[in-house]
Each structure stands twice: as C-alpha cells, then as structure tokens.
Amino acid sequence: RAAMKSLRFISAEAFVSNAEFARKSLGSVAHNLFPLLFKASYLLEQGEVIHDLVENWPFVDFNMGKLLGTTVDYQEDLSHRTCSVCLESCLKGLRDYVLNHSSPYVKKLKVVDLTGLKDVEVQFCECKKTMGRWARTQLLSKLCLELLVYLQQRQCNPGTSEISIDVLIDLFVTERNYELVVQALLKKCYCPLKICCVGFRSDNLALQKFFYIIKLTDPSLLRKLEVVHNIRLEMEHLEMLFNSIRFPLLMSLTLPPRTFNVRRFTATDEQMLTNIGEKMAEMTQLTELSMSFSILTGRIQKLLSPLKTPLKMLDVSNCSLNHADMAFLANSFHANHLEALDLSGHNIPDLYPSTFFKLLSHSSPVLRILTLEDCNIQDTHVNMLILGLSPCQKLQEFKFLGNPLSSQALKHLFTFLCELPMLKNVEFPVPRDCYPIGITYPIDDASLCRFDHQKYESVAEDLNLILLQANREDVKASTPLFGSYDAAVQETNNELGAYLIKSFKETLEKFTASLNKMS
C-alpha cells in the first residue's frame, strides 16, 4: 500500500522534478524546506538537485537516516534505497560544500551521519544501481583525498581551513580498497571532512593489515566490529587485539569462523579464554555477540559469565555446544534479555530439549528473531516446538531451514505461526517428501537442489494459502536454499570468490610439494 503524501510533499516533488528550475531557485528557498526537498529529490532520483541541496546545506547536522526515514509529510522510509545516483550526488555535494566560496560564517554543518542507510536485497529505485557499504567507503575515502589535493593545489578561501565536519560512517574494508582507506584515515587530521568510523567490517584481509587499520579508525568511537570472511583471527590474536586496544563504546562484535577451537586447548589456552572473557566484560555497552562456526564445547560459561551487561543478540550457530553450555544459557541473566538468538547446527531435540525450552521460555517476552537451521527438528517434535513458541508473542522472524520436516508438518506449524501477531518473516525448509527417499540430513550442497521442484511449489502455495486465509498477507514466507541474503557478501562476492580460488590453489601447491618431497 502506497504511503500518503501531504500537499507540501506533492508540491516539493513538483518543484524538484524540473531540475534546472529547482537548482536556479534554491537561493530563495526557505531553509526549513531543505529536508523536505531532499527527501522528494531522493524519491525522484534527482541527482543534480540532491547535490546542490547538500552543497548549500543550512543546518548544523545532516542525518541520512532521519532525512529519509518516516516523516510527517511522507510516511514511507526511503533509508533502504541505497540508490547509486542519489548517494554519489550526495557525497559529491558534501565535497563541494567545503569548496563552495560562499562566506564561511554561513557554513554551519558540523556532523554528517551516513549510518542510517540500510542495505537490502530488493531495490525500488528506478536506476536499479545500488551503492553498498563497500562502495560508500571507497567513494568517501576517494573524495577526502581529492579534497586534500584540491586544497593544496589551489589558493582557497582562508575560511575553508577552519571547516571541520565529522562524517559518521560504517566502513567496509577488504584487500581491494584497503590502501585507499588507509590513506584517507592517515590524512584525516588535515581534511575538512573527518571520517568517523562507528561501524567497521573487514573481509579478505591479511591479519597484519587488519591490526594496522583498526588502530587508525579510532577504536574509542567504534560501536560495531565485524571480522567476517577470510581473516585468520584466532584466539591468541583476539587476546592480543583486546590487550592492545580498548573498545569502550562497542555494542556489537562478530568474530570469524574458527576463532575458538577447544578441541586442541592447553592450560595456556584456558587462561587465554578467561582473559578474553574479562576483556569483553570491560566493554560495558556490548549487547550483541556473534561467534558462529567456532568450537566452544563446555566453555560458554567461561566466556560469557564475566559479562556485566546482558546480551540482546547471541549467535552461537555451529559451535558444538553441549548440555552444560545450554544449561548456562538457560539459567544466565542473558536469557531474559535475548531479542535475537541463533542456535543453528545443534541437534536440539536429541541433546537438550528441556533446557532449550527453558531458555526459550525465559527469552519469550522479548524474543524477536529465532534461527534454528539444521537442528534435526522432525515431524514428531512439531507439537513440542509449537508449545515452546506460543509465549513468544513478539517474534518477528523465524528461520528453520535444513530441518527434516514433511509437507504435512509444515502446514501444521504454519497454522500455528499465523497466531503470532508480530511475525513478519519465515524461512522454511524444502519439505522432506520433496527429496528422494533416503536423503540424509544435514543435506550436502551437491544434493540441496535435487528435489521435486513442482511438488515444492505446490506445498509453498498451500502454505501461503494458510497465511492468506488467516489474513496474514503481511508475513513473507520463503526458502532461500543457500541462506539469507547478506548485502556485504553480495557486494564483494567477486573478490571473495577470487580469494577462495587463490587459497585453494595455494593449498594444492603445498600438498603437491609435500607429495614430491615424499617421493
């Protein structure tokens, strides 16, 4: 349903739709209309008008999230439109704000906040070209360096050197844009546009480079740190990181796969784990922790018990948790605060059904997102699952891909899911009866697509009909076979793929060399 537009917003659209006229007339437009015109220009993808609005911005702050979010004049939130035309115009307008020769006392801008942008799978902008987090990092760094060169080469207005604007951004650094971002951060103190990194994600980067750049970002401002793919950060490196750098404002921490592996633990490793737990306890703002695909059997308590702030988000998927770990989570003070929980890759019904349901019952008043992929949930467990989910009245997302459930069981479960009032998104598995008889779970990647697609479509239709008959068209139900959409991976998948091929080639070469030595 299209959002209602006020008469003011319709007038703003009419004004900016003629770009040439709008640009000429900006000088006589009342300042309080700039935010309205900005959102209208963004909706209509009027890049030139966006550029000029930002170049002449009359306020102390420029907050993308607020400007594009729900407003009185137009309720629709446009912050998920990361339109390339609009964002490039916006950032270049910011550069030209600094270079614009109007008298410096008119320039009030002190803070630009780009963190409110949301990268999503489906783009509604006309151009269909997005500028993701990596590309925004790249462009801002490039513009800061260009600005410095320009200021050095030309005799600029003396007031230009007094301009200082903090640009709050979530940086995304890989091998490909590393050098550029490093240069921009090193020269930050000379540039009128100051990159202020509040969120930092790093993929495909040598450990040495990661340690170097993280120190340049000013970690005292960092609220979110994601160390994700192809960064070989192991436990000793994590301890080194926490010993050498303080993260007083850190709220969210994502660690790469295999950071921890308790199967090869020594007494020194046990002490190291204790130290890491104590260092995390010093991060008094930390409420989100993701450490999937680490082996943490029996050590969750040691790692999490020192924390003084309750976690709101915990991802321990594929971490080989045992009964003691689950019992700690169920009885810890974190349980009552968990809004998002991922326990994928654990055989919940066989290993610790009652402890899991205790955890679910404690978190039910606040739980919004629950992920239970590849958890061996079968038809015989559905009634128990329904019982456990019934109190979770705030649940918005439920993901349970990879579980061996029949079409019949899924229909039974969907009939119940219609009763959860806040539910918006469900990711369900391909029914077991759509696969050949004898398929084993978890299903390997090679067999994942070998199911009866016609039968699946028919079941999916039935499930959507259940939602429709219960007046729950607001619930999106899907089966993303290879997992949920990740905007960052999507944006850098070519680099990621090239890195994986290179790693595979190096491994093969080492293996061949070893064989040659043996022969």
Side-chain angles (χ1 to χ4, degrees):
R1 197 164 55 83
M4 290 289 285
K5 295 173 182 176
S6 71
L7 198 55
R8 262 165 51 98
F9 195 84
I10 293 165
S11 306
E13 281 186 293
F15 178 77
V16 301
S17 60
N18 182 340
E20 197 184 342
F21 170 73
R23 295 174 78 190
K24 278 181 191 167
S25 313
L26 271 188
S28 53
V29 169
H31 287 174
N32 66 341
L33 292 174
F34 270 56
L36 179 73
L37 294 175
F38 181 81
K39 190 171 182 180
S41 305
Y42 203 94
L43 180 66
L44 300 179
E45 291 173 47
Q46 292 286 36
E48 293 175 327
V49 183
I50 288 172
H51 172 281
D52 288 11
L53 283 165
V54 177
E55 186 185 357
N56 297 285
W57 199 251
F59 304 109
V60 175
D61 72 322
F62 177 90
N63 185 316
M64 280 294 258
K66 283 183 183 170
L67 288 166
L68 298 177
T70 301
T71 50
V72 177
D73 292 294
Y74 185 44
Q75 297 276 297
E76 187 160 344
D77 185 349
L78 303 180
S79 62
H80 55 269
R81 291 196 186 195
T82 51
C83 168
S84 187
V85 170
C86 296
L87 291 174
E88 188 169 338
S89 303
C90 187
L91 289 173
K92 287 184 174 174
L94 190 57
R95 173 200 61 195
D96 296 339
Y97 175 93
V98 175
L99 297 173
N100 190 329
H101 289 306
S102 63
S103 151
Y105 70 82
V106 175
K107 298 190 175 182
K108 296 178 183 175
L109 190 59
K110 292 288 174 214
V111 181
V112 171
D113 190 342
L114 303 174
T115 61
L117 293 165
K118 305 176 191 84
D119 296 293
V120 294
E121 187 170 6
V122 181
Q123 280 296 326
F124 291 99
C125 61
E126 289 295 314
C127 76
K128 292 284 183 278
K129 274 186 72 183
T130 63
M131 184 184 285
R133 184 172 163 185
W134 188 91
R136 296 195 291 274
T137 300
Q138 169 97 347
L139 182 59
L140 180 63
S141 303
K142 186 166 164 277
L143 292 175
C144 286
L145 291 170
E146 278 177 11
L147 191 54
L148 276 174
V149 171
Y150 192 92
L151 294 175
Q152 281 163 0
Q153 286 174 349
R154 289 167 179 74
Q155 195 60 48
C156 283
N157 191 327
T160 306
S161 58
E162 292 165 28
I163 297 171
S164 177
I165 302 165
D166 288 339
V167 184
L168 277 57
I169 185 170
D170 294 323
L171 293 180
F172 181 10
V173 178
T174 64
E175 185 67 51
R176 202 152 49 99
N177 67 355
Y178 171 80
E179 291 298 341
L180 185 73
V181 182
V182 163
Q183 288 308 311
L185 290 172
L186 280 171
K187 293 171 182 167
K188 172 180 167 175
C189 55
Y190 309 109
C191 187
L193 297 178
K194 315 281 183 199
I195 294 178
C196 293
C197 174
V198 289
F200 184 85
R201 176 174 172 131
S202 187
D203 286 8
N204 303 328
L205 205 58
L207 205 53
Q208 201 176 349
K209 289 181 175 180
F210 166 71
F211 268 84
Y212 181 64
I213 197 167
I214 198 73
K215 286 177 181 172
L216 291 182
T217 61
D218 188 358
S220 66
L221 298 175
L222 214 54
R223 294 200 288 257
K224 187 169 189 173
L225 174 61
E226 298 166 276
V227 191
V228 196
H229 303 287
N230 302 322
I231 294 185
R232 291 175 181 159
L233 184 83
E234 294 184 7
M235 192 169 63
E236 56 268 34
H237 310 127
L238 186 64
E239 186 190 31
M240 210 188 302
L241 179 72
F242 287 168
N243 281 339
S244 59
I245 300 173
R246 287 192 68 247
F247 298 95
L249 298 182
L250 197 69
M251 298 165 75
S252 179
L253 174 64
T254 299
L255 298 171
R258 294 180 289 283
T259 301
F260 304 99
N261 183 358
V262 304
R263 284 183 190 151
R264 51 179 180 78
F265 259 29
T266 62
T268 312
D269 293 324
E270 294 289 359
Q271 187 53 51
M272 214 182 280
L273 193 69
T274 304
N275 293 348
I276 289 169
E278 285 168 1
K279 287 290 175 190
M280 286 192 340
E282 290 172 16
M283 301 171 195
T284 53
Q285 308 288 310
L286 189 69
T287 57
E288 298 182 358
L289 182 60
S290 176
M291 38 190 186
S292 58
F293 289 95
S294 274
I295 299 171
L296 281 163
T297 318
R299 302 305 196 289
I300 283 287
Q301 182 165 359
K302 185 169 270 194
L303 198 56
L304 301 188
S305 62
L307 301 188
K308 298 174 185 74
T309 311
L311 292 171
K312 291 181 181 177
M313 190 284 272
L314 179 63
D315 178 355
V316 280
S317 54
N318 301 284
C319 283
S320 306
L321 303 189
N322 64 14
H323 191 275
D325 296 316
M326 195 59 78
F328 167 74
L329 288 177
N331 296 308
S332 71
F333 76 126
H334 302 292
N336 303 311
H337 298 86
L338 284 172
E339 294 175 20
L341 176 64
D342 191 340
L343 289 168
S344 300
H346 293 102
N347 189 341
I348 288 169
D350 288 353
L351 294 178
Y352 22 64
S354 58
T355 324
F356 164 70
F357 285 114
K358 185 179 182 182
L359 171 59
L360 203 55
S361 122
H362 285 170
S363 58
S364 62
V366 291
L367 191 67
R368 292 182 298 107
I369 301 167
L370 179 62
T371 311
L372 300 174
E373 296 177 2
D374 298 313
C375 283
N376 195 31
I377 298 167
Q378 300 180 32
D379 290 16
T380 50
H381 309 130
V382 168
N383 285 334
M384 190 165 62
L385 184 62
I386 288 172
L387 208 61
L389 290 174
S390 293
C392 303
Q393 294 292 296
K394 289 193 176 168
L395 199 67
Q396 293 173 17
E397 285 188 28
F398 181 40
K399 302 175 184 181
F400 58 108
L401 297 165
N403 287 294
L405 291 163
S406 69
S407 315
Q408 215 48 50
L410 284 171
K411 288 172 191 174
H412 180 35
L413 186 54
F414 264 65
T415 305
F416 156 73
L417 292 175
C418 292
E419 296 169 21
L420 296 176
M422 312 287 280
L423 196 66
K424 289 282 173 281
N425 186 31
V426 177
E427 290 183 4
F428 65 94
V430 172
R432 187 174 190 148
D433 40 302
C434 291
Y435 281 105
I437 293 166
I439 187 98
T440 54
Y441 284 78
I443 301 171
D444 58 63
D445 286 354
S447 311
L448 207 52
C449 297
R450 293 181 187 155
F451 59 89
D452 184 333
H453 288 256
Q454 208 172 348
K455 187 174 181 181
Y456 165 78
E457 291 301 336
S458 167
V459 174
E461 259 178 54
D462 291 344
L463 296 177
N464 275 306
L465 191 62
I466 290 170
L467 295 171
L468 200 65
Q469 287 170 341
N471 292 321
R472 293 304 306 268
E473 298 97 322
D474 57 323
V475 178
K476 180 194 169 208
S478 62
T479 306
L481 279 179
F482 297 98
S484 302
Y485 176 78
D486 183 328
V489 169
Q490 193 65 32
E491 191 183 6
T492 56
N493 58 5
N494 291 343
E495 187 178 352
L496 195 62
Y499 187 95
L500 289 172
I501 290 165
K502 182 170 169 271
S503 299
F504 183 60
K505 188 167 169 278
E506 284 170 4
T507 307
L508 273 181
E509 282 167 0
K510 282 177 191 169
F511 181 63
T512 311
S514 303
L515 282 179
N516 290 340
K517 275 182 189 173
M518 284 167 71
S519 60

